[in-house]
């Protein structure tokens, strides 16, 4: 982990509807997933990195978290990959260089931020008087406006069509070469979601991240003694997203006893070679997705795939949420 910590400087390339523009120049002090294959900052990886680094050197961890929060734009968006400068871009396939300002990534930084807030909440009088607790309180107080902006960006741009539902943006509804179009923005790139991406999707893991984030902000605000009007919206959102009946209405399957994604889905799809017929004979083209049973077209339903997405809810309930 320590060998994967680096310092980077430059600007990302941002994809707008009509052009590509450079983002503002910025520095990043961060760990990376792999120095040899992914030598750059990844937003969703960094929260997990900091859960370990914060135990070893809390001051270094706060410095790295501050660098990440300094990458936020005025709308509250942080690019999920930090490909800063020409040298970094030389190591990335061209199709992944441009960052989409509508695309999110799991806000895993809240894992360690919530941990900080809980440490302050449970600290004894002696601990509170110590330099470490004072430093954590000062850091969280300085970071709170940006954390609020980040959460607000998520809560508006990634909201679903139903109250309390959320949807990762970025899935390709026109992809014919994938059995289940990837969801790179979720961090769980190839987790099987609805077979036919649509605006009606509800993503269970994103609701879990929003529950974690709102509860973390409510806890931070409370233990920093911030005005109640600043803290109350996060407390109310957390209570809504932690409500088991609300969760069941949107994600629970009575037939399987599982919490699942929801969307426009069918299991009757396969990747098959396209057959090209010519005067000289037939030849196989590339694999494309086909509906193999016309009697089972995609329809709005819970997606019968259980795995990492569903287990994240269990982790949140057991380890993070009150």
């Amino acid at each position: 982990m320590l060998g994967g910590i680096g310092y980077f400087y430059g600007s990302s390339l941002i994809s707008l509807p009509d052009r590509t523009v450079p983002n503002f120049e910025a520095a990043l002090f961060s760990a990376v997933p792999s120095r040899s294959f992914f030598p750059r900052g990844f937003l969703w990886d960094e929260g997990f990195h900091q859960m370990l680094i914060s135990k070893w050197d809390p001051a270094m961890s706060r410095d790295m978290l501050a660098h990440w929060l300094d990458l936020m734009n005025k709308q509250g968006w942080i690019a999920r990959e930090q490909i800063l400068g020409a040298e970094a871009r030389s190591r990335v396939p061209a199709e992944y260089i441009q960052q989409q300002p509508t695309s999110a990534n799991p806000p895993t930084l809240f894992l360690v931020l919530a941990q900080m807030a809980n440490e302050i909440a449970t600290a004894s009088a002696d601990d509170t008087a110590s330099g470490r607790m004072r430093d954590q309180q000062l850091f969280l107080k300085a970071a709170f406006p940006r954390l609020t902006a980040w959460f607000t960006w998520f809560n508006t741009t990634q909201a679903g069509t139903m109250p309390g539902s959320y949807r990762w943006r970025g899935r390709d509804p026109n992809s014919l070469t994938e059995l289940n179009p990837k969801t790179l923005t979720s961090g769980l790139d190839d987790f099987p979601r609805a077979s036919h991406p649509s605006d009606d999707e509800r993503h269970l893991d994103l609701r879990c991240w929003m529950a974690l984030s709102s509860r973390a902000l409510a806890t931070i605000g409370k233990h920093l003694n911030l005005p109640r009007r600043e803290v109350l919206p996060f407390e109310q959102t957390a209570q809504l997203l932690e409500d088991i009946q609300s969760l069941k209405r949107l994600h629970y399957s009575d037939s399987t006893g599982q919490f699942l994604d929801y969307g426009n889905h069918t299991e009757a799809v396969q990747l098959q070679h396209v057959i090209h017929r010519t005067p000289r004979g037939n030849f196989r083209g590339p694999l494309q997705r086909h509906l193999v049973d016309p009697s089972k077209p995609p329809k709005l339903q819970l997606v019968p795939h259980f795995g990492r997405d569903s287990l994240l809810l269990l982790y949140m309930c057991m380890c993070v949420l009150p």
Side-chain angles (χ1 to χ4, degrees):
M1 178 63 71
L2 296 180
I5 292 175
Y7 180 85
F8 310 90
Y9 187 85
S11 61
S12 299
L13 294 180
I14 308 301
S15 177
L16 299 179
D18 57 344
R19 64 193 188 283
T20 299
V21 299
N23 202 6
F24 56 84
E25 291 193 345
L28 178 61
F29 181 40
S30 175
V32 301
S34 167
R35 288 187 66 176
S36 55
F37 291 100
F38 300 106
R40 56 191 182 276
F42 283 75
L43 179 55
W44 112 281
D45 295 63
E46 193 60 16
F48 299 113
H49 296 159
Q50 293 308 319
M51 291 182 74
L52 176 59
I53 294 171
S54 64
K55 297 295 185 184
W56 177 71
D57 191 327
M60 177 184 286
S61 179
R62 290 192 296 271
D63 190 10
M64 298 167 88
L65 289 168
H67 273 83
W68 272 98
L69 294 176
D70 278 346
L71 297 171
M72 186 180 298
N73 71 3
K74 64 182 180 180
Q75 285 79 32
W77 173 70
I78 303 175
R80 66 187 187 90
E81 287 191 45
Q82 294 298 324
I83 310 168
L84 302 179
E87 182 179 359
R89 287 195 284 273
S90 69
R91 300 294 304 276
V92 183
E95 62 268 29
Y96 298 122
I97 289 177
Q98 297 180 20
Q99 300 296 295
Q100 308 290 332
T102 56
S103 296
N105 215 202
T108 58
L109 301 186
F110 277 108
L111 290 169
V112 69
L113 294 165
Q115 181 177 287
M116 284 186 192
N118 289 328
E119 287 178 359
I120 293 171
T122 58
S124 66
D126 290 340
D127 289 335
T128 302
S130 70
R132 181 186 172 204
M133 285 299 147
R134 285 199 307 272
D135 290 344
Q136 287 195 172
Q137 287 178 313
L138 290 171
F139 172 79
L140 290 174
K141 188 170 185 178
F144 196 80
R146 295 197 183 194
L147 298 177
T148 298
W150 194 25
F151 177 85
T152 301
W153 180 87
F154 263 97
N155 206 35
T156 53
T157 67
Q158 308 299 298
T161 57
M162 298 285 288
S165 69
Y166 295 90
R167 174 176 63 87
W168 297 110
R169 272 47 171 182
R171 300 190 74 205
D172 183 1
N174 300 313
S175 176
L176 295 177
T177 59
E178 300 172 281
L179 187 61
N180 194 286
K182 292 188 290 294
T183 316
L184 296 174
T185 49
S186 73
L188 307 175
D189 300 357
D190 57 355
F191 182 80
R193 302 184 188 268
S195 60
H196 292 68
S198 71
D199 291 349
D200 294 303
E201 285 184 80
R202 306 173 199 155
H203 293 144
L204 175 63
D205 54 332
L206 183 49
R207 175 169 168 140
C208 291
W209 287 118
M210 296 304 293
L212 165 69
S213 304
S214 55
R215 176 55 62 193
L217 284 166
T219 303
I220 292 169
K222 177 181 177 182
H223 296 295
L224 291 179
N225 295 315
L226 297 179
R228 180 157 176 76
R229 67 178 182 278
E230 295 183 26
V231 180
L232 184 60
F234 303 118
E235 180 65 41
Q236 292 172 332
T237 301
Q239 289 177 358
L240 168 67
L241 298 181
E242 293 165 5
D243 179 64
I244 191 64
Q245 296 307 318
S246 169
L247 184 63
K248 279 187 171 183
R249 283 194 296 273
L250 296 176
H251 290 284
Y252 187 69
S253 168
D254 290 316
S255 61
T256 66
Q258 297 168 344
F259 290 94
L260 304 167
D261 278 355
Y262 177 91
N264 193 30
H265 183 73
T266 178
E267 293 284 290
V269 287
Q270 289 182 4
L271 288 177
Q272 298 178 345
H273 286 285
V274 177
I275 304 301
H276 296 277
R277 306 183 188 281
T278 71
R280 296 185 178 182
N282 302 335
F283 67 93
R284 293 197 308 177
L287 287 169
Q288 286 191 3
R289 185 175 63 169
H290 292 274
L291 182 67
V292 295
D293 186 347
S295 69
K296 298 179 180 179
K299 65 178 182 179
L300 292 175
Q301 60 178 307
L302 291 167
V303 181
H305 293 153
F306 183 84
R308 294 172 295 177
D309 185 26
S310 307
L311 292 175
L312 179 62
L313 175 62
L314 177 64
Y315 167 75
M316 293 290 184
C317 292
M318 293 179 63
C319 304
V320 178
L321 300 177

